[in-house]
Structures are given as structure tokens and as C-alpha cells.
């Protein structure tokens, strides 16, 4: 049993008459103090996992299977009040849209103090003192406590939100693309501040992004998701030296490490599958340059090339070949042409 | 802020002069001769002429207008034909009753509307929500006098809880404001008309609050408030409702004009001795000065309320600075 265990987690959204499984059989574990990166294209279910962990899913979303245990305690099915007590104190979230995460009609200080007071027996004064402390940790002056959100720059707001998330030394921090709205220089500074504080208070962290190069810098483990499923999960250093899954190979082409930049950038053609349709087989099969007949009908199980490293693909024995071929642009161009052809044929059928 | 208020007040004075001009013209172009209602048509011509002269009705329109405006600036609205007293006096007597009734009703409607609207947004998609919407719309669409009569029938006649008519029991005479308005007898008389007017006003704050709340509830800062582990009620009322309130305040200011329309009917149904009823009577009696005065005071009231709403808005929303 680790600090955090997520097992066979399904999260389903009801949409109109249908439903879509945005998170499908996801399992992972996190040690105390460990930081894990979740990467994947837009819509693959990253935010949904984060909200599932916080039990903050919108009304049409629900955990339909699986378990989440934190320190051995089951979180799925906890009462509202028990969940409320966990939030911020145990699990804190730095949300994807931190720009709009502050209430425009209250001062930043009030909003921080309010959160602290909801979980502690600190009085107003004590909570204020704590708020000033975390403000200093993220590099904001005390006088900013009296500012309203509209009086602050994006970077300051972002830091205020981070200060809020860290105000009670949570044991788990979930950072959902915490810096996407900021310019690159500020992004970097803020990122490093988060990591520094996370190490200081020894919390575990789940870091969500679609930029895998960031993960290579700051996370010990990486989870690659696609269409609601985990494709590959690995210690970061192994992953960046030797990815296994064809999707990971494609992603890595799209986000090369500084040391590996070549003149041609290769992207993965096509778009993620429509989760509203019933999906069989490997979620990636439409866009995979190595897909076989089997891939479209049979769901690949995980294989473990080494302990702590899992890959969901039908062809473990062909990894070397995949790795070689995926670095060539032609390999992916073939997919692009196939997708275009299929699209035209489908169109022709629809018009006929 | 102070500068803003002063600027607004100046604009208001201009507006009032403009509105007064329009009201003046409106009354001069209305059919019907005031002397006909004022003076027995069978009286001799000379007497009639003397009356016209006494009221200044023989002068040209321009001269009348000049006199009218000159008096207006001195807050002199002339003398009521019917009461034979200065118009300002009559209005002074009637205005408190109207204001008290209107504010009580608004308070009732806004408190229930704001909390009810917020609660309906929270209960979105449930039967309770549709029930709430239907309820508030019924009282908005039903004719006020009809609702008023039903209320009287039930609470005054059938149950006998509250008096149905007037502002005080017969025989009671009060002279000072305190003697008139700060008595339980007055409060008992206030209940039914305020309740009826409140029901009529209810739909606006309720529905606007509900819509604006639905919008606010999908904001990121609401999710953040939940993520902070705040209690649901705190998120709903401190974070969501506070922001959702802003459009309600704006709409409230605009609504005042409409509210006065409803108010008139209610005052008539309940024989409430207020300005609304006075207007109706003044118009039917062709009591120009009084009707003019009432209209001008009511327009001023609407403008003042708008100003209050704008100032309130600045307090509610720190992003607004004047
Ligand atoms: N409230 C919702 N109702 C219905 N479907 C939803 C809802 N929220 C998300 N989805 C769907 O669930 C899937 C996963 O969404 P999610 O927001 O978790 O993706 P993501 O990986 O965070 O993407 P991004 O990188 O764009 O933030 C998407 O297909 C999305 O369309
Ligand atoms: S299972 Fe098939 S489709 Fe999926 S990644 Fe492996 S080869 Fe590609
Ligand atoms: Mg997301």
C-alpha cells in the first residue's frame, strides 16, 4: 500500500441520452513525497482524474468504478462533510484556470484566510499570520493581501492561488496545468517555486500537463494517457531515454528534449477518438502507424518491461523496431494519408 | 466617488426640468377643461372667467410655462384645485404612505427573491425549481387588483386576520409622523397591501437572481471555493450569491418604474391613501397642479433610486470605480 492508490478508476460523464467514460480503468500509485506527471493530448481525461481525486466532478460526472485510497483510507463514497475536510488540508488543487479562480469581489487576503479558517481552529489573526507566511513563500508582499484580483497581474494571481493551495501543508498537491496562462519566463519561475515548496513540505504531487518536457524536469514518474486510458507508465528518466509505447514515441517526437532537437518536427496525425462511441481495442489504433487487425478489436493489457514500468501494447517484442521507425517522418505520413483516405471514403458513403 | 455623485445629481436636476416640461405640455394638450370639473358649468360667465384668471388659465401657453417653471424651481407646485391646498402639502401627506408601502413590499420581494432565486439555482432541474418559477410568474402575470381582491377575501374576510382597507382604523386620528406610522394599527393595515405588492414584485429579483446565479455557479472561483473545503452554504451564499447579486441590483433600479405602476393599482384596491391613488383621483378630477406635482415627484423618485442603485453597485463590486 502506497500513500495514494488509485485502482481501476472509471469516471463517466452523462451527456444527453448517452454517456462517455472520460477515465477508463486507470490505476497508479504514489509514494509520500513523490511527484508524478500525467501527460496526454487535450481531452484525454487529465483534468477529470484531478477532479475525481478532489471529488469535485461536475453534476453530470461520477466515479462509476474503482477505488482511491489516501493513507489507506477509501475516498470513494465518503460523506460530503468528510470530503470537505480533506480538501485543501490533505489534497489541494492548483487548478487549470487559476486566472479565474479568485473571486472578484473579495480581497486575496480574505480568500486565503477563509480557506485556512475552514480547516483550523486558528482565529482570524492566526489565519492571517499563516496567510502572510505562505505569501512570502510564493514571493508576494504582504500588502497584496489587501488587493482585489483585478488589481493583480496574471503571475501574481497564479502565485496567490498557489499560496492558497499550499497554505495548510497538504500531503497531496494536484497541479493541473498550473502555468498555461502565463508567459514562458514566468512559467518557469513559478514552476520551480512550486517544486521547491513541495519538496520542503514533503508532499506528494500530481502534475498535469500536455508538455512532456516539463515532466522530464520535475517529475519522478510519468503517466501517459490517451482516450481515458493509461498507455504507458514509467520512471521519468527511463521513459525519456527509452519510451516503449507507440503513442509515447509520437509524443516524444512532438516535444523533443532540448538535447534531441532535430530539424524536422514530427507530429501525430489525426485526433483522439470520440469517447461517446463504444470503443473496443487499443484506443490509439486509428492513429498508430503499427496497428494490426488485432489492435482494433482486442484491448491490449499491460506488460512490464522492467519493474515499475508498464506499457499497454500488443507487441512488446517489436519495441526496437517501433522505436526506430517512429523517428522517421514517413512512418507518420503513411498514417496521415490513410486517415485522409478513410475520411474521404466515409464522406462518400455519407453523401451516397 | 463624491465627484461622481455630484455630477449625477446635476444631471438629475436637468432631467427633472426636462421631465417637468414634458409633463406640463402633456397636461395642456389633454382634452377636457379643468374649469368644467372645478366649476359648476351653470355659473355665470364672469364668475367662470374670474376663476380662470385666479388659476392663471387665461394666460398664453408660454406665460403659463414660464410661471410654472419659475414656481417649480422654488418647489412651488401650485395649489390643488380640488383640495384648495398647496400641492406640496398634499404630496407631503401622501408620500410617506406610498414610500413605506413600496419599500416594505420591495424588501419583502427582494429578500425572498434573492434567497429563493439562489436556492432555485442550487436546486436546478428539480421539481422544486419549476414550482418556484411558476409561483413567481403567476403573481407577476396575474392582474394585481385581482390578486389583491383574493388576498383580501382570504386573509381579511375569511380569516379576519388583517384589516382590508385603508391605513388606519376609523376614528383614529394621528397628527405627527409617529402617531400615524409607528403604531401597530398601521402595521396591521400595512400587511396585506405590502404582501400583495411584494408578490407582484417577486418575479423580477427571483428570476434574475436564479439566472445570474446559474451563470456564476459555473465560474472557476466557485469550484475553487469548493476546492478550499468551504461548506456548501458558504460557497452558495458568500461566494456565488454575492456575485450574482450585481445584475439583480441593476435590474432592481430599472424595475422601480414598473413597480410604481403596480403600486397605483394596489393603493386603489386597498384604499391606501398614497400618492398612487392620489394621482388617479387627480387625473379624473382634472386637478392639473396636483397631478403634475405627483408625476414630477414620482419621476424624481425613480431617478433617485437609480442613483442609489449605481452607488450601491460600486460598493458591491470592487472592480467599479467612478
Ligand atoms: N462536464 C463534462 N460533461 C461532459 N463531458 C465532459 C465534461 N468535462 C469533460 N468532458 C469530456 O471528458 C473528456 C476528458 O476531459 P478532461 O477535461 O478531463 O480532459 P483534459 O485531459 O484535462 O484536457 P485538457 O488538456 O484540454 O485540459 C473530454 O472528452 C471532454 O470532452
Ligand atoms: S496495441 Fe496496436 S494500435 Fe495500440 S499501440 Fe500497440 S500497435 Fe499501436
Ligand atoms: Mg484539463
Amino acid at each position: 500500500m502506497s500513500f495514494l492508490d488509485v485502482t481501476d478508476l472509471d469516471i463517466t460523464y452523462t451527456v444527453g441520452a448517452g454517456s462517455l467514460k472520460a477515465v477508463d480503468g486507470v490505476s497508479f500509485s504514489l509514494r509520500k513525497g513523490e511527484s508524478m506527471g500525467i501527460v496526454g493530448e487535450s481531452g484525454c481525461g487529465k483534468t477529470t482524474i484531478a477532479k475525481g481525486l478532489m471529488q469535485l466532478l461536475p453534476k453530470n460526472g461520477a466515479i462509476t468504478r474503482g477505488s482511491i485510497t489516501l493513507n489507506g483510507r477509501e475516498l470513494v463514497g465518503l460523506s460530503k462533510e468528510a470530503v470537505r475536510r480533506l480538501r485543501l488540508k490533505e489534497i489541494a488543487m492548483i487548478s487549470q484556470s487559476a486566472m479565474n479562480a479568485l473571486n472578484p469581489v473579495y480581497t486575496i487576503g480574505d480568500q486565503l484566510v477563509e480557506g485556512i479558517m475552514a480547516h483550523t481552529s486558528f482565529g482570524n489573526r492566526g489565519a492571517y499570520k499563516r496567510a502572510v507566511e505562505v505569501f512570502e513563500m510564493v514571493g508576494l508582499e504582504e500588502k497584496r493581501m489587501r488587493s482585489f484580483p483585478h488589481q493583480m497581474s496574471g503571475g501574481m494571481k497564479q502565485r496567490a492561488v498557489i499560496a492558497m493551495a499550499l497554505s495548510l501543508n497538504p500531503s497531496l498537491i494536484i497541479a493541473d496545468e498550473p502555468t498555461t496562462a502565463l508567459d514562458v519566463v514566468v512559467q518557469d519561475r513559478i514552476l520551480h517555486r512550486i517544486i521547491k515548496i513541495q519538496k520542503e513540505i514533503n508532499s506528494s504531487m500530481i502534475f498535469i500537463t500536455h508538455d512532456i518536457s516539463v515532466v522530464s524536469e520535475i517529475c519522478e514518474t510519468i503517466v501517459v494517457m490517451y482516450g481515458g486510458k493509461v498507455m504507458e507508465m514509467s520512471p521519468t528518466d527511463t521513459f525519456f531515454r527509452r519510451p516503449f509505447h507507440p503513442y509515447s514515441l509520437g509524443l516524444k517526437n512532438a516535444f523533443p528534449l532540448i538535447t534531441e532537437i532535430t530539424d524536422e518536427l514530427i507530429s501525430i496525425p489525426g485526433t483522439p477518438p470520440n469517447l461517446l462511441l463504444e470503443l473496443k481495442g487499443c484506443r490509439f489504433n486509428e492513429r498508430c502507424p503499427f496497428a494490426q487487425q488485432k489492435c482494433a478489436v482486442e484491448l491490449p493489457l499491460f506488460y512490464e518491461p522492467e519493474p515499475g514500468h508498464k506499457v499497454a501494447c500488443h507487441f512488446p517484442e517489436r519495441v526496437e523496431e517501433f522505436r526506430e521507425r517512429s523517428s522517421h517522418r514517413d512512418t507518420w505520413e503513411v498514417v496521415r494519408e490513410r486517415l485522409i483516405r478513410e475520411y474521404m471514403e466515409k464522406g462518400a458513403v455519407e453523401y451516397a | 466617488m463624491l465627484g461622481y455623485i455630484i455630477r449625477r445629481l446635476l444631471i438629475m436636476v436637468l432631467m427633472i426640468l426636462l421631465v417637468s416640461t414634458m409633463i406640463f405640455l402633456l397636461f395642456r394638450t389633454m382634452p377636457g377643461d379643468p374649469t368644467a370639473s372645478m366649476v359648476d358649468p351653470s355659473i355665470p360667465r364672469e364668475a367662470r372667467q374670474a376663476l380662470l384668471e385666479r388659476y392663471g388659465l387665461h394666460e398664453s401657453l408660454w406665460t403659463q410655462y414660464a410661471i410654472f417653471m419659475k414656481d417649480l424651481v422654488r418647489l412651488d407646485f401650485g395649489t390643488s384645485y380640488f383640495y384648495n391646498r398647496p400641492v406640496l402639502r398634499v404630496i407631503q401627506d401622501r408620500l410617506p404612505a406610498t414610500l413605506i408601502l413600496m419599500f416594505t413590499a420591495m424588501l419583502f420581494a427582494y429578500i425572498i427573491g434573492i434567497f429563493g432565486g439562489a436556492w432555485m439555482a442550487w436546486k436546478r432541474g428539480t421539481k422544486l425549481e419549476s414550482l418556484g418559477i411558476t409561483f413567481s410568474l403567476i403573481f407577476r402575470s396575474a392582474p394585481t387588483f385581482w390578486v389583491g381582491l383574493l388576498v383580501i377575501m382570504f386573509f381579511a374576510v375569511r380569516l379576519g386576520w388583517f384589516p382590508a382597507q385603508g391605513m388606519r382604523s376609523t376614528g383614529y386620528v394621528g397628527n405627527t409622523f409617529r402617531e400615524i406610522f409607528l403604531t401597530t394599527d398601521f402595521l396591521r393595515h400595512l400587511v396585506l397591501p405590502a404582501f400583495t405588492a411584494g408578490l407582484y414584485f417577486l418575479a423580477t429579483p427571483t428570476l434574475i437572481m436564479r439566472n445570474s446565479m446559474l451563470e456564476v455557479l459555473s465560474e472557476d472561483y466557485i469550484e475553487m471555493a469548493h476546492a478550499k473545503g468551504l461548506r456548501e452554504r458558504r460557497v452558495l451564499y458568500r461566494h456565488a450569491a454575492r456575485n450574482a447579486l450585481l445584475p439583480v441590483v441593476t435590474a432592481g433600479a430599472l424595475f422601480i418604474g414598473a413597480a410604481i405602476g403596480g403600486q397605483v393599482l394596489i393603493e386603489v384596491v386597498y384604499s391606501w391613501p398614497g400618492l398612487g391613488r392620489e394621482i388617479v383621483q387627480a387625473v379624473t378630477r382634472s386637478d392639473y397642479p396636483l397631478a403634475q406635482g405627483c408625476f414630477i415627484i414620482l419621476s424624481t423618485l425613480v431617478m433617485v433610486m437609480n442613483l442609489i442603485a449605481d452607488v450601491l453597485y460600486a460598493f458591491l463590486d470592487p472592480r467599479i470605480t467612478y
Side-chain angles (χ1 to χ4, degrees):
Chain A
M1 184 195 78
S2 316
F3 166 66
L4 172 74
D5 282 302
V6 173
T7 322
D8 294 329
L9 190 67
D10 281 7
I11 300 179
T12 313
Y13 290 114
T14 350
V15 191
S19 66
L20 67 86
K21 227 187 240 178
V23 170
D24 189 350
V26 168
S27 304
F28 58 80
S29 310
L30 207 59
R31 278 173 284 110
K32 185 94 193 117
E34 180 183 355
S35 67
M36 185 182 92
I38 302 184
V39 299
E41 273 164 283
S42 191
C44 69
K46 305 182 295 291
T47 300
T48 306
I49 290 188
K51 293 199 179 153
L53 289 173
M54 289 290 286
Q55 316 250 349
L56 260 182
L57 290 166
K59 276 199 177 133
N60 66 333
I63 295 177
T64 40
R65 188 173 67 111
S67 95
I68 302 168
T69 58
L70 188 78
N71 270 329
R73 180 170 174 217
E74 178 61 56
L75 302 190
V76 178
L78 272 188
S79 74
K80 266 191 183 171
E81 176 59 16
V83 169
R84 183 190 75 74
R85 282 167 201 260
L86 277 176
R87 292 177 182 159
L88 195 67
K89 194 157 194 294
E90 295 297 327
I91 313 179
M93 184 165 80
I94 306 170
S95 76
Q96 188 164 10
S97 45
M99 276 311 124
N100 308 316
L102 295 165
N103 193 326
V105 302
Y106 296 115
T107 61
I108 308 294
D110 280 351
Q111 298 186 51
L112 234 81
V113 165
E114 177 186 38
I116 296 171
M117 284 177 69
H119 298 278
T120 58
S121 52
F122 292 171
N124 222 320
R125 178 116 20 107
Y128 183 86
K129 237 183 85 202
R130 176 64 192 153
V132 173
E133 274 170 33
V134 282
F135 250 50
E136 272 163 17
M137 275 159 73
V138 300
L140 285 172
E141 296 163 86
E142 179 179 349
K143 71 165 202 261
R144 283 292 163 199
M145 295 275 288
R146 288 179 296 280
S147 296
F148 287 99
H150 71 277
Q151 296 163 333
M152 315 218 302
S153 73
M156 283 188 223
K157 277 192 260 189
Q158 185 59 276
R159 276 184 283 176
V161 170
I162 293 167
M164 204 174 283
L166 303 176
S167 57
L168 296 172
N169 294 340
S171 47
L172 174 63
I173 302 170
I174 303 173
D176 186 358
E177 302 189 31
T179 57
T180 27
L182 304 172
D183 69 70
V184 187
V185 181
V186 182
Q187 256 187 30
D188 210 52
R189 232 188 1 240
I190 288 185
L191 218 59
H192 283 98
R193 216 181 272 270
I194 299 179
I195 305 303
K196 186 165 156 273
I197 299 171
Q198 177 239 338
K199 295 277 183 264
E200 270 169 27
I201 60 183
N202 194 30
S203 351
S204 310
M205 179 162 80
I206 294 179
F207 190 92
I208 295 173
T209 175
H210 44 237
D211 181 352
I212 63 171
S213 49
V214 172
V215 176
S216 74
E217 282 178 52
I218 63 175
C219 298
E220 289 137 50
T221 330
I222 180 168
V223 173
V224 178
M225 287 190 60
Y226 186 81
K229 281 193 156 299
V230 174
M231 298 285 114
E232 180 163 3
M233 182 161 29
S234 155
T236 321
D237 45 354
T238 356
F239 180 86
F240 282 95
R241 269 185 288 114
R242 293 182 334 131
F244 277 65
H245 197 276
Y247 180 60
S248 312
L249 293 168
L251 267 189
K252 220 180 143 246
N253 281 337
F255 291 94
L257 297 183
I258 304 273
T259 48
E260 297 176 355
I261 291 182
T262 51
D263 13 301
E264 49 175 5
L265 252 178
I266 308 171
S267 63
I268 308 173
T271 49
N274 179 354
L275 298 176
L276 274 169
L277 304 176
E278 199 193 331
L279 298 167
K280 288 181 295 185
C282 177
R283 298 288 183 266
F284 189 51
N285 80 76
E286 273 185 16
R287 300 164 74 189
C288 180
F290 317 115
Q292 307 287 313
Q293 217 114 55
K294 179 184 184 185
C295 299
V297 284
E298 198 180 312
L299 192 70
L301 300 174
F302 283 117
Y303 68 90
E304 293 198 37
E306 60 224 334
H309 191 163
K310 291 181 179 174
V311 184
C313 178
H314 283 306
F315 307 105
E317 67 289 347
R318 291 175 57 195
V319 169
E320 289 303 332
E321 176 204 336
F322 289 173
R323 228 177 256 144
E324 210 284 312
R325 283 173 58 194
S326 71
S327 60
H328 301 301
R329 179 178 227 131
D330 292 347
T331 314
W332 300 94
E333 279 311 308
V334 174
V335 178
R336 191 183 314 274
E337 277 155 29
R338 192 190 76 220
L339 286 172
I340 293 175
R341 205 170 50 241
E342 279 173 11
Y343 181 78
M344 305 289 273
E345 278 162 16
K346 207 161 63 187
V349 171
E350 268 162 27
Y351 283 114
Chain B
M1 186 74 176
L2 201 65
Y4 170 78
I5 295 178
I6 291 171
R7 233 176 320 133
R8 280 288 300 265
L9 285 174
L10 286 178
I11 296 176
M12 221 167 89
V13 170
L14 278 179
M15 291 292 287
I16 291 171
L17 292 181
L18 208 74
V19 167
S20 309
T21 308
M22 278 161 58
I23 289 173
F24 172 85
L25 287 174
L26 195 72
F27 276 90
R28 306 303 126 155
T29 50
M30 249 171 26
D33 178 351
T35 49
S37 65
M38 287 293 308
V39 189
D40 189 346
S42 59
I43 62 166
R45 275 198 55 193
E46 297 79 56
R48 192 178 136 84
Q49 192 59 32
L51 266 174
L52 280 177
E53 271 171 39
R54 187 168 138 213
Y55 292 123
L57 290 171
H58 65 296
E59 304 274 11
S60 76
L61 203 61
W62 277 112
T63 325
Q64 284 189 38
Y65 178 65
I67 296 172
F68 169 79
M69 288 310 259
K70 207 174 77 204
D71 288 347
L72 182 72
V73 175
R74 286 180 297 165
L75 283 183
D76 179 357
F77 295 101
T79 308
S80 158
Y81 299 160
F82 182 79
Y83 293 103
N84 222 335
R85 294 172 59 208
V87 166
L88 202 61
R89 276 287 122 68
V90 180
I91 292 179
Q92 254 171 20
D93 284 351
R94 299 291 182 237
L95 193 61
T98 287
L99 288 183
I100 290 177
L101 174 54
M102 197 156 115
F103 283 117
T104 315
M106 284 230 160
L107 209 64
F108 168 82
Y110 270 74
I111 290 176
I112 295 190
I114 283 166
F115 282 92
W119 177 80
M120 266 154 62
W122 199 247
K123 295 276 165 214
R124 166 156 217 202
T126 63
K127 281 232 169 61
L128 284 170
E129 189 207 10
S130 8
L131 210 70
I133 296 179
T134 318
F135 181 82
S136 52
L137 280 180
I138 283 179
F139 291 109
R140 159 47 52 79
S141 329
T144 330
F145 60 85
W146 180 70
V147 176
L149 289 175
L150 288 185
V151 168
I152 290 177
M153 212 172 81
F154 193 70
F155 291 101
V157 180
R158 177 90 43 97
L159 295 173
W161 288 355
F162 300 102
Q165 297 281 304
M167 207 168 76
R168 68 201 78 152
S169 303
T170 34
Y172 182 86
V173 210
N175 289 316
T176 62
F177 181 85
R178 219 170 122 183
E179 280 170 9
I180 299 176
F181 296 112
L182 296 181
T183 63
T184 44
D185 182 53
F186 171 75
L187 292 180
R188 273 170 47 82
H189 280 82
L190 179 63
V191 172
L192 293 188
F195 177 64
T196 311
L199 284 179
Y200 173 68
F201 296 162
L202 193 60
T204 305
T206 310
L207 297 184
I208 293 180
M209 186 67 187
R210 172 185 161 274
N211 281 357
S212 133
M213 197 65 181
L214 283 177
E215 228 162 82
V216 169
L217 281 176
S218 64
E219 294 281 350
D220 293 323
Y221 55 79
I222 297 302
E223 188 182 89
M224 181 73 184
H226 282 298
K228 280 199 289 190
L230 302 183
R231 290 202 165 74
E232 202 146 296
R233 195 167 314 142
R234 192 172 171 93
V235 177
L236 181 63
Y237 288 111
R238 201 179 126 86
H239 285 270
R242 174 63 203 282
N243 279 281
L245 217 52
L246 300 174
V248 180
V249 171
T250 318
L254 297 176
F255 177 65
I256 304 240
I260 287 175
Q263 176 92 7
V264 171
L265 287 174
I266 292 192
E267 287 186 8
V268 172
V269 171
Y270 286 95
S271 312
W272 188 260
L275 217 53
R277 200 171 66 127
E278 203 58 59
I279 282 194
V280 177
Q281 288 172 347
V283 171
T284 42
R285 292 168 183 152
S286 293
D287 191 347
Y288 286 173
L290 184 56
Q292 278 171 178
C294 288
F295 275 115
I296 292 170
I297 290 293
L298 286 183
S299 333
T300 312
L301 193 65
V302 172
M303 288 183 225
V304 171
M305 296 300 282
N306 272 298
L307 179 62
I308 291 178
D310 282 349
V311 171
L312 196 63
Y313 207 98
F315 277 105
L316 284 175
D317 190 343
R319 283 166 297 185
I320 304 229
T321 44
Y322 293 123

